[in-house]
Amino acid sequence: VTSSKNLERLFETNRKYLHEHGRDSKPTVLTLNGNNSTNAGNNKKSSKEDNSMARAQKAAASKSCLAYFVDLQYDFYQQKEEQLAETALRDKMVAVIASLDSLLQVSGFSDGLLCKMVVVSSFALERARSETQNVSAHHLSREFL
């Protein structure tokens, strides 16, 4: 019971965070950039600034990805109470997968992010399996994993 309440609190807090801070309805997707065209020289200071900016962008994208991933799991979790359109869930899944893919492309996928995602999705899936009769939500959550 305690773990269920903790999961619900995580979901509700995360959704509140997204409503307060989420400027877009989709997670951040990073793009692969080669050499920055404005940094033609071998300026060490510019290189350090570029590396620092890249790390900051990866960290922000990682946080965004996790927040939207948790929100998607909340939708799966709530399927027994609310009927979301399957297409809406698929759209969210596609957006989260695109964000995950972009993190993988730029090596921005940390061990910590992976562990958090596995724990949340595993618990939410088991919870959905035991409590819901909604085959569609269960099928989508299994498909996502």
Side-chain angles (χ1 to χ4, degrees):
V1 174
T2 301
S3 57
S4 295
K5 293 293 182 191
N6 288 340
L7 182 66
E8 290 171 10
R9 188 170 46 247
L10 168 68
F11 286 150
E12 290 166 2
T13 303
N14 184 70
R15 183 146 297 167
K16 182 179 176 187
Y17 169 82
L18 285 176
H19 285 300
E20 291 174 359
H21 299 98
R23 291 169 185 85
D24 297 324
S25 61
K26 295 183 179 180
T28 303
V29 175
L30 295 175
T31 57
L32 284 174
N33 285 337
N35 293 331
N36 187 348
S37 60
T38 61
N39 188 19
N42 288 331
N43 188 341
K44 288 183 181 181
K45 185 176 181 181
S46 292
S47 178
K48 281 185 178 183
E49 289 173 358
D50 289 346
N51 288 339
S52 177
M53 179 62 79
R55 279 193 306 276
Q57 288 173 339
K58 286 178 188 178
S62 179
K63 185 174 183 175
S64 170
C65 182
L66 181 61
Y68 283 95
F69 175 82
V70 169
D71 193 56
L72 177 64
Q73 296 302 312
Y74 191 25
D75 288 339
F76 291 143
Y77 183 81
Q78 291 187 88
Q79 276 295 297
K80 67 183 187 309
E81 298 155 3
E82 296 176 12
Q83 291 298 320
L84 290 176
E86 189 171 323
T87 55
L89 285 174
R90 284 194 188 279
D91 290 346
K92 277 189 168 184
M93 285 173 52
V94 168
V96 170
I97 289 170
S99 180
L100 288 170
D101 185 52
S102 75
L103 286 170
L104 287 170
Q105 294 294 323
V106 297
S107 301
F109 202 83
S110 69
D111 293 343
L113 176 62
L114 178 61
C115 289
K116 290 170 188 172
M117 292 173 67
V118 168
V119 168
V120 169
S121 60
S122 296
F123 187 78
L125 178 61
E126 284 305 312
R127 179 97 164 140
R129 182 182 294 160
S130 67
E131 291 192 3
T132 187
Q133 298 301 319
N134 188 327
V135 177
S136 178
H138 179 70
H139 174 71
L140 283 172
S141 64
R142 299 245 340 141
E143 183 180 310
F144 185 73
L145 293 174

